[in-house]
Amino acid sequence: MVRALCTCLRSILQLIRNNLKPLILLASLGTFIWLVVDTTNRQEFTRHGNPEQQSGNDFLLLRRVDPKNRWSESSVQIFLDLLDLDTNVTALVQRHREPCPLTSELVFSAFVDDLLEENLWQYYTLIALRQIGAFQEPEMGGLRIVPFLPRSTKRKLERLFDEVPMETIGDLSFDCYDIGGSIVVNSTTQITRPQRRDQLFILDNGARRYLDLTAADWGMENRMLSLTKADSARKRLAKLHDLSPPAKSDAEFVGIYVRRDDLLPFDYYYRAIALQRNLHGGRLIFVVVCEEPQGKICQKLHAPAEQVFVQGSKLDDPGHDFALMSLCNHTIVSNQMGIFHALNAGGEVVVYEFEEPDARDRYLPWLMANEMDTWYMLR
């Protein structure tokens, strides 16, 4: 019995010795995953404002931050990294804080993200918050919202816009701000006015505050959004105009952007084109940009005789496609990127209405269509 036990132990030790390196790697990986999950789920790092649905006059409420709910120094360092800031957190925490220079402003920013669509959500949301806050300034006790972008986010947006008229958060002095009391804003956070004026409000990655977008006046904002590839996009539209037969009235353009992973049925596009034609008595030219022009949907859509022109997207030059869709008069939405094309273009917008209530309630273009007078839902 003893001999058998010793033999078994020797076998186990030999097995561990032979597989020591893989076991160490597995243990390290498990520890890393645990640290990431533990950090991102800690209350002080994921703490949001009041998660009630935002509503008109409740845009800003007086709120006191619980000192026990402040971020730790390690969480502050992660926070600064996510804002693309190179700051010594220890010196920042220990430094004597001076009065904030922005005494009548609430500072808003967003965490960095690699995806261009995410950058657009952040940029447009910050614009909308600034505009909505300006309208409600008397209710805010004289405070107004001042948005700042992370430096890397602004660089990505400059591929789409000639100028991004928003300062970078890295240019703001942090000597006076209470980093540990920052408010992370998600999709449904009710934004609150703090009692102190040394707090920051940060849009979380994945925040989709579509109601803020529907409340903003984009006709006013679009005058400040200068598109990088506007000239080349206008030349393309002029060429399509010349390819079409002449008509007494000037033509209007309808933009459709189709991604590779869009799964909407062809019947939706067919009926959306028919609806746009019914909405406008004049001449319409449909400009379809496809990430996969040889795909089944895009091949079926291409019909020059019917004034429907399909072309491949310029994935290496997103500014061109963005300008082309934004300069159209109207929009048929196929995905979330179409939201920004539609806000820029104005005019009539058609979105898909899923039959399943759960799918419908998750589809942001449909949710926005419920709030917009010139957005139409179509199954």
Side-chain angles (χ1 to χ4, degrees), residues 336 354 356-367:
Q336 287 192 39
F354 288 91
E356 303 82 6
D358 289 344
R360 216 166 35 227
D361 292 340
R362 293 192 304 268
Y363 191 52
L364 287 169
W366 182 84
L367 292 172

Side-chain angles (χ1 to χ4, degrees), residues 262-322:
D262 288 348
L263 300 176
L264 303 185
F266 172 76
D267 188 55
Y268 159 68
Y269 298 102
Y270 179 80
R271 290 185 294 111
I273 289 173
L275 176 58
Q276 287 284 11
R277 284 180 171 145
N278 289 334
L279 290 171
H280 311 284
R283 173 182 167 204
L284 290 182
I285 299 174
F286 295 85
V287 186
V288 187
V289 175
C290 291
E291 291 185 358
E292 191 174 1
Q294 301 306 315
K296 184 177 180 180
I297 293 291
C298 291
Q299 284 191 325
K300 292 176 70 174
L301 281 174
H302 188 54
E306 301 295 329
Q307 307 294 291
V308 182
F309 299 92
V310 172
Q311 65 185 59
S313 63
K314 297 186 177 182
L315 295 178
D316 58 340
D317 186 12
H320 180 272
D321 294 337
F322 191 79

Side-chain angles (χ1 to χ4, degrees), residues 11 36 47 49 53-55 60 76 78-79 100 105 116 131 176 193 199 208 247 266 288 291 305 319 335 379:
S11 299
V36 171
R47 178 174 54 79
Q53 183 69 25
Q54 55 184 335
S55 60
L60 290 167
V76 170
I78 297 174
F79 169 86
C100 285
E105 291 84 4
L116 183 59
Q131 186 183 124
C176 68
R193 178 169 63 89
Q199 286 185 290
R208 297 290 184 263
F266 172 76
V288 187
E291 291 185 358
N335 50 68
R379 289 186 181 178

Side-chain angles (χ1 to χ4, degrees), residues 163-307:
E163 183 181 359
V164 179
M166 196 173 287
E167 296 183 53
T168 60
I169 191 71
D171 295 332
L172 183 66
S173 173
F174 282 85
D175 289 3
C176 68
Y177 288 98
D178 180 13
I179 304 298
S182 298
I183 305 297
V184 178
V185 178
N186 63 17
S187 300
T188 58
T189 302
Q190 185 182 58
I191 299 175
T192 58
R193 178 169 63 89
Q195 187 171 17
R196 302 189 318 276
R197 301 188 180 184
D198 58 355
Q199 286 185 290
L200 299 174
F201 291 78
I202 311 296
L203 287 177
D204 203 357
N205 286 335
R208 297 290 184 263
R209 300 181 64 85
Y210 69 92
L211 288 177
D212 294 327
L213 269 59
T214 62
D217 180 358
W218 292 102
M220 177 181 70
E221 294 293 345
N222 288 338
R223 289 192 289 270
M224 296 186 292
L225 297 177
S226 176
L227 300 168
T228 301
K229 295 301 179 70
D231 290 341
S232 62
R234 290 192 184 97
K235 289 179 181 178
R236 176 58 181 166
L237 293 178
K239 184 176 180 179
L240 293 176
H241 185 279
D242 294 340
L243 289 175
S244 305
K248 292 182 180 180
S249 59
D250 291 335
E252 290 191 340
F253 295 91
V254 180
I256 311 173
Y257 187 86
V258 183
R259 283 178 162 168
R260 286 192 179 93
D261 56 354
D262 288 348
L263 300 176
L264 303 185
F266 172 76
D267 188 55
Y268 159 68
Y269 298 102
Y270 179 80
R271 290 185 294 111
I273 289 173
L275 176 58
Q276 287 284 11
R277 284 180 171 145
N278 289 334
L279 290 171
H280 311 284
R283 173 182 167 204
L284 290 182
I285 299 174
F286 295 85
V287 186
V288 187
V289 175
C290 291
E291 291 185 358
E292 191 174 1
Q294 301 306 315
K296 184 177 180 180
I297 293 291
C298 291
Q299 284 191 325
K300 292 176 70 174
L301 281 174
H302 188 54
E306 301 295 329
Q307 307 294 291

Side-chain angles (χ1 to χ4, degrees), residues 327-346:
L327 291 176
C328 288
N329 305 95
H330 314 285
T331 307
I332 294 174
V333 174
S334 182
N335 50 68
Q336 287 192 39
M337 185 65 81
I339 290 174
F340 306 107
H341 302 153
L343 292 176
N344 293 340

